[in-house]
Amino acid sequence: MRRSNSGCSALLIVAVVIVGFVVLLRFNAPQTMPTVIAPPNPATSTPEENAISRLLREGFGEDSTPLPTVAIPEVMPTIPPLSIEQDMTPIVVGAGDVQDSSVAVALVVTPTPPPPTATPSDDEELSATQVDATRDPNSWQPPALIPPISKNPLGYDHYWFVRPLDANANNWVLEVYPYGTDGPSQENPLRQHHGIDMSNRIGERVRAAAAGVVIWSADGRQDEVDYFQNSPSYGNVILIEHYNQYRGQKLFTLYGHLSAAFVQVGDIVEQGQVIGLVGNTGQVTGPHLHFEVRLGENRYGSTVNPVLWMVPYVGHGVIAGRVLDASGNYPSSLQDIPVTIRRVQDGRTEATTTSYIYLNSGSDINDDPNWEENFVVADVPTGLYDVIAIINGQRVVERLEVLEGMTNWVVLQPEERPTEVPTESP
């Protein structure tokens, strides 16, 4: 009897397990839901509506914590204008009212030394003259171009040398005493200038214009005067013979009036290397650098205009030309006459110079072997200019466009006036 009850209990337990398993499978089986595709309702949806916008429209997230917001002001704030203390009322002027805006700054010039063939005696004492510069040496100056440059289509240009001073020093050429002239005063002329001057304070660094070998170097002492080529006016001098030659001719650069020299004879220098310091040694009225370029020989009578060899500034060019009479000659009567560079845009005078003075001696200056010029203007901003001179009573004007980094050529020559034939009286 006991065996029969225990068999029934086992069968009952198995049946309960099977039923529970079937029920468990039933609840965990995947249920297929019918797919309903409904056309969009034009009143509640647009073709551009996506899933996120639909969720927002149905109120998704309304029970969540709201994000912090910043109230949008009804009136936008205004920025107060800066207070201007100066009167900024514009001044309108015409071309005829524009005056030369040259800045009068007292600078110094170098009296060019006498020929090296004789030492000046006491009664031939060289005099230094103080003049007014037409350009402020403390004004901003653009960077110089990188040599070598020869943009002339015929290959006439030879801008091989860097400017001999630091970019933040004064590299402007003294306009009132350029190469080949005798200074601004007709009544008290200076000596014929064989180089160019750049006024600077004592101690400005002087750099080699190109690579070469030092063939002369002063000791830099202030208490003695070095006689360079029989002249005391140069003061302390460095002279470099350069490696590059021009058409088989040697090239030299000279740096005068130095307060110190950092190189010795025989030293090899690189382009841009610091070789000395600006000073006021020799016969000067103030500190500046006297810079020369010599072609062919190292002598006083072999100089050429350094402006045609030293790279111009960025955005600037050089004007060179000839002043001639109606027959195409350059007589002594045309030497030392003023040449004016005037901007076409506003009539402003950009620069002035004078034509070369020739001594007809072994100590004379020289025109360039390519250009054969008799006047040069350094560092003229690019643009359109009128070049003006009075030649034998005639006003000659030539229009010229100045291009960057090259010599811009102009010839000033009056028209030949017809000879008047006297008429016979009846």
Side-chain angles (χ1 to χ4, degrees):
M1 190 68 184
R2 289 180 180 175
R3 185 177 300 174
S4 176
N5 290 337
S6 59
C8 291
S9 298
L11 290 175
L12 182 60
I13 291 172
V14 171
V16 170
V17 170
I18 293 174
V19 171
F21 184 75
V22 171
V23 171
L24 183 62
L25 290 177
R26 177 67 177 174
F27 278 105
N28 286 277
Q31 301 180 4
T32 58
M33 300 295 294
T35 302
V36 179
I37 300 177
N41 186 352
T44 60
S45 112
T46 61
E48 293 80 10
E49 187 177 30
N50 52 30
I52 296 177
S53 61
R54 189 181 305 114
L55 289 173
L56 294 175
R57 177 173 51 81
E58 294 177 356
F60 176 79
E62 290 182 352
D63 297 332
S64 61
T65 304
L67 296 174
T69 59
V70 178
I72 301 175
E74 297 180 357
V75 180
M76 296 301 293
T78 58
I79 300 175
L82 296 176
S83 60
I84 301 176
E85 299 178 356
Q86 302 178 5
D87 183 10
M88 301 299 289
T89 304
I91 301 175
V92 180
V93 296
D97 300 325
V98 177
Q99 303 294 328
D100 186 1
S101 60
S102 302
V103 180
V105 179
L107 295 180
V108 295
V109 297
T110 308
T112 306
T117 55
T119 302
S121 59
D122 294 338
D123 57 351
E124 294 178 350
E125 190 71 24
L126 297 179
S127 61
T129 304
Q130 182 168 309
V131 299
D132 288 337
T134 55
R135 192 190 301 272
D136 183 0
N138 296 319
S139 63
W140 179 85
Q141 55 194 13
L145 294 167
I146 300 176
I149 297 175
S150 182
K151 294 185 177 182
N152 181 268
L154 299 178
Y156 284 178
D157 280 341
H158 36 59
Y159 294 109
W160 293 359
F161 296 146
V162 298
R163 302 178 88 93
L165 290 152
D166 284 347
N168 59 353
N170 175 41
N171 277 276
W172 294 116
V173 177
L174 192 64
E175 295 177 353
V176 295
Y177 194 27
Y179 176 85
T181 71
D182 61 357
S185 175
Q186 298 291 335
E187 293 75 19
N188 186 26
L190 305 174
R191 292 178 179 270
Q192 183 193 44
H193 205 187
H194 283 64
I196 57 176
D197 290 341
M198 301 175 183
S199 296
N200 278 277
R201 60 186 179 182
I202 296 176
E204 289 288 354
R205 294 181 295 187
V206 178
R207 298 181 178 271
V213 179
V214 178
I215 61 175
W216 179 278
S217 179
D219 56 16
R221 290 182 296 175
Q222 297 284 339
D223 56 345
E224 294 184 8
V225 176
D226 254 325
Y227 275 79
F228 175 77
Q229 296 184 337
N230 296 328
S231 173
S233 68
Y234 277 110
N236 296 320
V237 170
I238 292 176
L239 188 70
I240 299 175
E241 179 179 342
H242 297 287
Y243 294 133
N244 49 336
Q245 298 186 357
Y246 186 74
R247 297 180 178 177
Q249 299 184 80
K250 295 180 179 180
L251 274 171
F252 307 85
T253 53
L254 180 147
Y255 314 79
H257 308 306
L258 304 178
S259 62
F262 298 151
V263 292
Q264 299 177 353
V265 174
D267 286 351
I268 297 175
V269 296
E270 298 297 328
Q271 186 175 65
Q273 178 180 332
V274 177
I275 58 175
L277 300 177
V278 170
N280 60 349
T281 58
Q283 294 182 339
V284 297
T285 60
H288 67 281
L289 174 67
H290 175 80
F291 181 60
E292 288 184 11
V293 174
R294 300 180 174 188
L295 178 63
E297 300 179 68
N298 173 28
R299 65 183 186 89
Y300 187 67
S302 297
T303 60
V304 288
N305 198 324
V307 172
L308 296 174
W309 294 83
M310 179 182 67
V311 287
Y313 287 126
V314 170
H316 292 65
V318 172
I319 294 179
R322 287 185 65 82
V323 174
L324 303 173
D325 62 15
S327 301
N329 300 317
Y330 185 56
S332 58
S333 60
L334 295 187
Q335 297 183 18
D336 198 27
I337 69 169
V339 177
T340 301
I341 312 299
R342 183 170 296 169
R343 293 190 344 192
V344 173
Q345 180 181 5
D346 54 13
R348 175 182 175 182
T349 298
E350 178 66 33
T352 59
T353 189
T354 54
S355 55
Y356 290 171
I357 297 174
Y358 289 99
L359 303 177
N360 298 320
S361 69
S363 301
D364 215 343
I365 63 163
N366 302 279
D367 53 34
D368 188 84
N370 285 343
W371 294 108
E372 299 181 354
E373 83 292 345
N374 58 31
F375 74 89
V376 171
V377 181
D379 296 314
V380 181
T382 56
L384 201 60
Y385 295 88
D386 284 335
V387 185
I388 308 168
I390 306 298
I391 304 175
N392 294 332
Q394 295 188 47
R395 186 174 186 269
V396 180
V397 181
E398 292 292 338
R399 187 153 292 183
L400 173 68
E401 183 179 5
V402 173
L403 304 178
E404 182 190 60
M406 64 183 296
T407 306
N408 302 271
W409 180 253
V410 63
V411 175
L412 300 176
Q413 183 177 7
E415 296 181 358
E416 191 166 4
R417 295 176 178 176
T419 304
E420 296 183 1
V421 178
T423 57
E424 296 181 1
S425 57

